[in-house]
Amino acid sequence: MDWRFCPRCGTSLAFVGSGAERHASCGDCGFWKYDNPLPTTIGLICRGRSILLLRRAQPPAIGAWDTVGGFLTAGETAEQNLVREAREEIGCPVLDLRPVGSYASVYGDTGMATVGMAFTCRIPDDAVITLSAENTEHRWFAWDEIPDLAFTDVKAAVRDLVAGTG
Ligand SMILES: [Zn+2]
C-alpha cells in the first residue's frame, strides 16, 4: 500500500506496525486502513472437460483470457456476486456453484491486492451467451488447451480445477 494522503481529510498519512500489522494511520482525523485484499470471484464455468473463458476488452491485462467474475460490492456474497457478474458479462445464469478455494493475487499493474474466491459452476445447456463491452470474445477451451490467463489467482484456480484438486 503506497497511499500518501488521508482519503478522508487530506493530511499526510503515517504507516505504523510491520508485517501483517502494517497500516496507514491519519494523526489528524483518526482514519486508518490495513492492506486488506479486495475480494473477487472466479467463475470456473465448465461443460464436460472444457471451460468457458472471455477475452478482456479493458485494462488491466487487456486482450488476455479470463474467467467470468468480478469485485464484490458491499452487502453481496461471493455467490451473489458471481451470479450478477455472469448476467452482466455473458447474459445468462450460472448454476450449481461449488466452492473450489480462495487465491491471493494482485490486480494487474495496479498494485491492488485481491483474493479470488473460485467456484465451479455451469450455464444451462440452451443458454445463449451475449457478451458485454467488458470482453471481445468467448470460447470453450478443452482442459489441455487452456491459454495463458490474465491473473495469478485465475491461473491457480484453473490449475487446481484441471488437476482435480478443486
Ligand atoms: Zn485524516
Side-chain angles (χ1 to χ4, degrees):
M1 192 161 53
D2 59 357
W3 293 8
R4 295 172 59 202
F5 301 103
C6 175
R8 185 185 283 155
C9 77
T11 300
S12 289
L13 284 170
F15 284 87
V16 296
S18 60
E21 298 302 317
R22 182 176 181 270
H23 63 280
S25 175
C26 177
D28 213 38
C29 75
F31 171 85
W32 51 265
K33 174 79 170 65
Y34 285 78
D35 195 11
N36 304 117
L38 296 173
T40 70
T41 53
I42 300 168
L44 305 171
I45 299 176
C46 297
R47 180 171 285 171
R49 295 174 71 84
S50 294
I51 183 170
L52 180 66
L53 298 175
L54 310 178
R55 193 188 278 276
R56 295 176 58 83
Q58 296 169 354
I62 190 166
W65 290 96
D66 197 2
T67 55
V68 169
F71 289 92
L72 270 68
T73 57
E76 187 175 55
T77 67
E79 290 84 354
Q80 289 166 343
N81 172 268
L82 187 53
V83 169
R84 178 175 63 78
E85 291 286 348
R87 285 229 178 260
E88 292 174 7
E89 293 183 353
I90 58 173
C92 53
V94 286
L95 312 170
D96 302 338
L97 277 62
R98 295 175 57 140
V100 172
S102 63
Y103 299 87
S105 189
V106 175
Y107 194 51
D109 57 6
T110 67
M112 286 194 301
T114 62
V115 59
M117 291 172 282
F119 297 84
T120 58
C121 53
R122 66 180 180 88
I123 59 175
D125 291 339
D126 61 352
V128 176
I129 295 171
T130 306
L131 295 181
S132 72
E134 290 179 66
N135 298 285
T136 58
E137 188 180 351
H138 74 275
R139 196 186 300 174
W140 292 93
F141 286 93
W143 285 3
D144 59 357
E145 297 175 341
I146 293 172
D148 193 28
L149 295 165
F151 304 110
T152 302
D153 54 347
V154 175
K155 290 178 195 179
V158 169
R159 193 166 54 235
D160 283 353
L161 170 74
V162 172
T165 59

